[in-house]
Amino acid sequence: MWDKLRAHFETVKTRRFETLVDDARAADFSTSLGDIHFDYAKTNIDADARRELFALLDATGVAAKRDAMFAGAVINETEGRAVLHTALRNLDGGPVMVEGVDVMPDVLATLARMEDFAKAVRGGTFQGQGGMITDVVNIGIGGSDLGPAMGVLALAAYHDGPRCHFVSNVDPADISQVLGKCDPATTLVIVASKTFTTIETMTNARTAKAWMGQTVSDPAAQFAALSTSETGTADFGIPADRVFGFEDWVGGRYSVWGPIGLSMMLAIGGDAFRAFLRGAQDMDRHFQAAEWHENLPALLAVVGIWHNQICGHATRAVLPYDNNLSRLPAYLQQLEMESNGKGVSMDGEDLPVHSGPVVWGEPGTNGQHAFYQLIHQGTRVVPCEFLVAARGHDDALHHQHQLLVANCLAQSEALMKGRDLDEARSKVADKFAGDELERQAKHRVFPGNRPSVTLAYATLDPHTLGAIIALYEHRVFVEGVVLGLNSYDQWGVELGKELATALQPIVEGADASGKDGSTAALVKFLHAHDL
Ligand code: F6P
């Protein structure tokens, strides 16, 4: 299957795909779900490649594994867990069984408790010791930070609750700056940690508790916890009625749909949060039911596989022309790279192809004035994924939004078409002549033939955001199945954690002689400079 795709790529790789892009291809190589439209016409994928890519999905059992995931099977085999973040948004679906028990009553009860709490905070019946809660500080890292931080910013137009701040880094600069903006008497601190053992989060949580204790008599009364650990949260002193629990079948980077999304709910309210869940549920149903040729997660996945594993492009850029999606690239970095950045298959064999790509990006138009130079003229091809809304959130500035959209569409067109030497020459023929004209013109050539896809949507509302995030989750799932790896563990983060624990005493002054020369010399330098 892989060989067939590689052989096909060899026959088409020098073709200029621009020549394929007529109205029929635009219709055939795109699909819609509600008011979300996905266009992959500006790629070198043709009908033969697409058929082979779909064959790859069938050969690797994507449909059966998808159904097993939704049904609560233990597909996270290295941790012995089901993968059921989809249950968190199964608002009006049927039962979801884990080991013979329907998990939905607990999921819905926790959602209702979150809604009651959010209503109390937003309405002022839950107060800080100095009055109405004005600020919420979410302390968490990785999936316990990136999801709600991305979501609160993405839905800024719907934010009518208390201000929300996010502290993730163990670097004291992070928490100092956030707490410096808050009044301890009117601040709610949320400690978000699936395990309640993550050293960065627990260190920051203790710092926040000490900060609050300087002003209010009962700091724990202004803390809430989001975690799977009942003992950890109790030991920290957070009463059970402010602990919002979830189960180990919700992976950290897939957890924004449940208690980890509490700060989002506080920002936008329970109804808008339900719309966010509903958008994801709609995408889940689409993923479960649609044929591959109109199945958005499957299509996004095959585009990714084509560019990464077949064409050999090591990275992909996520470029939202939607400033409120500024944190989406960071969110997707964890979602995609922690999920599919693995070197062995589920059976422990070396992967026969590369693992998932490096994911990076920034919002447009900012990126245009920073790194697009390389995307257009660098020697490596970077497949680009554009996101753009038909409508922004400020009708009075709609013309400015239209300028944003024009820029987005211009970039994918420029990447595809490029500019050849003749055209480049004609652009500067009035300024230069002879050899100098040739030299100057070459700098102005754009190779073009560079692939991109575009996800266009009506507007970035809670429902659409939910659908988009679920779309990316399922894309990661499909790519992971095709690569044969486990998308739901993250053993690759463990070694650094262990070594950091071992280094802590050395950093504090213990003998570094057991360490390698480089590490010992770095410690010495830092100590010499007052570490
Ligand atoms: O170290 C990686 C990781 O486990 C992520 O997968 C997770 O999102 C993050 O740390 C935070 O974990 P926790 O929510 O348990 O604090």
Side-chain angles (χ1 to χ4, degrees):
M1 216 68 79
W2 290 109
D3 287 346
K4 219 166 170 183
L5 275 160
R6 281 194 203 104
H8 180 66
F9 173 59
E10 285 305 314
T11 65
V12 300
K13 70 180 183 189
T14 54
R15 162 180 73 190
R16 293 202 65 92
F17 64 78
E18 175 194 354
T19 58
L20 309 175
V21 185
D22 57 11
D23 293 352
R25 179 174 167 88
D28 190 13
F29 286 75
S30 67
T31 194
S32 299
L33 174 65
D35 53 16
I36 297 177
H37 180 74
F38 175 61
D39 176 287
Y40 61 109
K42 293 190 186 89
T43 67
N44 203 10
I45 298 174
D46 55 21
D48 291 340
R50 185 171 59 183
R51 194 179 52 250
E52 284 309 315
L53 287 161
F54 290 161
L56 200 54
L57 304 193
D58 292 333
T60 51
V62 169
K65 287 183 178 139
R66 171 198 63 196
D67 296 345
M69 174 177 73
F70 277 94
V74 179
I75 64 163
N76 175 357
E77 293 179 21
T78 59
E79 294 182 319
R81 292 172 185 168
V83 173
L84 272 179
H85 46 279
T86 50
L88 300 178
R89 57 226 192 191
N90 181 35
L91 292 181
D92 46 17
V96 177
M97 309 302 284
V98 176
E99 291 167 5
V101 178
D102 180 12
V103 300
M104 286 316 299
D106 274 358
V107 166
L108 296 175
T110 302
L111 178 61
R113 283 185 57 228
M114 287 167 63
E115 285 170 331
D116 287 347
F117 183 62
K119 207 168 172 186
V121 172
R122 288 162 56 86
T125 48
F126 176 93
Q127 296 218 332
Q129 284 147 82
M132 182 119 176
I133 296 293
T134 54
D135 294 83
V136 173
V137 178
N138 185 88
I139 297 178
I141 197 164
S144 298
D145 165 73
L146 289 164
M150 176 276 298
V152 166
L153 182 57
L155 299 177
Y158 301 84
H159 193 147
D160 55 4
R163 286 182 291 269
C164 291
H165 313 270
F166 294 87
V167 172
S168 53
N169 203 325
V170 76
D171 184 340
D174 195 5
I175 194 157
S176 301
Q177 280 161 23
V178 168
L179 297 184
K181 290 184 234 165
C182 300
D183 174 356
T186 59
T187 295
L188 170 69
V189 175
I190 297 176
V191 186
S193 176
K194 178 176 169 180
T195 54
F196 232 68
T197 57
T198 303
I199 192 152
E200 293 94 330
T201 300
M202 298 322 298
T203 305
N204 278 323
R206 283 190 292 273
T207 300
K209 205 171 173 189
W211 165 80
M212 198 170 272
Q214 288 165 8
T215 308
V216 305
S217 55
D218 183 7
Q222 282 173 229
F223 271 64
L226 321 173
S227 183
T228 58
S229 172
E230 285 173 21
T231 49
T233 52
D235 289 350
F236 193 83
I238 302 177
D241 65 330
R242 261 175 287 112
V243 176
F244 299 90
F246 54 104
E247 300 295 328
D248 68 2
W249 37 256
V250 179
R253 52 193 174 274
Y254 298 87
S255 61
V256 69
W257 317 103
I260 294 294
L262 182 64
S263 51
M264 276 181 80
M265 193 191 268
L266 289 164
I268 62 176
D271 290 347
F273 191 79
R274 270 187 188 256
F276 172 66
L277 299 183
R278 185 81 60 192
Q281 187 184 26
D282 288 348
M283 185 58 71
D284 292 343
R285 289 183 172 156
H286 165 79
F287 178 47
Q288 288 175 284
E291 299 294 334
W292 294 147
H293 68 276
E294 52 191 24
N295 190 309
L296 270 93
L299 290 170
L300 202 52
V302 297
V303 169
I305 290 162
W306 172 258
H307 287 145
N308 184 19
Q309 280 78 22
I310 305 299
C311 305
H313 307 317
T315 85
R316 68 171 158 245
V318 180
L319 307 166
Y321 277 67
D322 198 327
N323 207 55
N324 288 350
L325 287 177
S326 298
R327 296 291 285 157
L328 182 69
Y331 175 82
L332 292 182
Q333 274 175 342
Q334 188 198 14
L335 181 65
E336 303 205 16
M337 294 166 74
E338 203 172 68
S339 296
N340 288 345
K342 319 277 163 72
V344 296
S345 70
M346 196 69 97
D347 300 333
E349 301 293 331
D350 288 347
L351 286 192
V353 289
H354 278 301
S355 55
V358 175
V359 176
W360 61 286
E362 276 288 320
T365 59
N366 293 7
Q368 290 175 205
H369 300 273
F371 54 78
Y372 277 39
Q373 165 64 45
L374 181 146
I375 290 180
H376 284 288
Q377 288 189 316
T379 53
R380 292 189 182 90
V381 173
V382 179
C384 294
E385 301 192 353
F386 295 100
L387 292 99
V388 67
R391 290 191 313 281
H393 297 289
D394 189 343
D395 288 344
L397 294 178
H398 187 60
H399 67 286
Q400 200 162 325
H401 182 78
Q402 287 173 327
L403 182 58
L404 176 77
V405 173
N407 270 277
C408 179
L409 299 179
Q411 290 301 326
S412 62
E413 189 183 345
L415 284 166
M416 175 175 70
K417 290 187 170 165
R419 172 170 285 159
D420 64 17
L421 187 56
D422 281 348
E423 200 185 336
R425 230 183 256 123
S426 72
K427 286 277 172 192
V428 285
D430 57 336
K431 292 198 190 78
F432 306 104
D435 288 350
E436 187 57 8
L437 173 59
E438 285 308 289
R439 189 167 76 93
Q440 291 287 347
K442 279 187 181 157
H443 289 271
R444 290 158 172 82
V445 167
F446 290 70
N449 216 23
R450 300 199 164 192
S452 69
V453 298
T454 300
L455 198 63
Y457 42 91
T459 197
L460 190 63
D461 58 20
H463 185 276
T464 299
L465 181 70
I468 289 175
I469 299 305
L471 163 61
Y472 279 105
E473 287 180 346
H474 294 320
R475 179 245 202 120
V476 167
F477 169 84
V478 175
E479 290 193 7
V481 170
V482 170
L483 297 177
L485 48 77
N486 182 2
S487 299
Y488 301 101
D489 61 13
Q490 55 284 317
W491 300 111
V493 302
E494 293 304 322
L495 180 58
K497 286 185 191 173
E498 284 166 28
L499 293 183
T501 305
L503 266 163
Q504 179 76 16
I506 295 172
V507 164
E508 287 171 2
D511 180 20
S513 55
K515 285 287 158 191
D516 65 86
S518 164
T519 305
L522 287 166
V523 170
K524 195 169 163 197
F525 171 86
L526 292 165
H527 278 148
H529 291 79
D530 295 333
L531 171 66

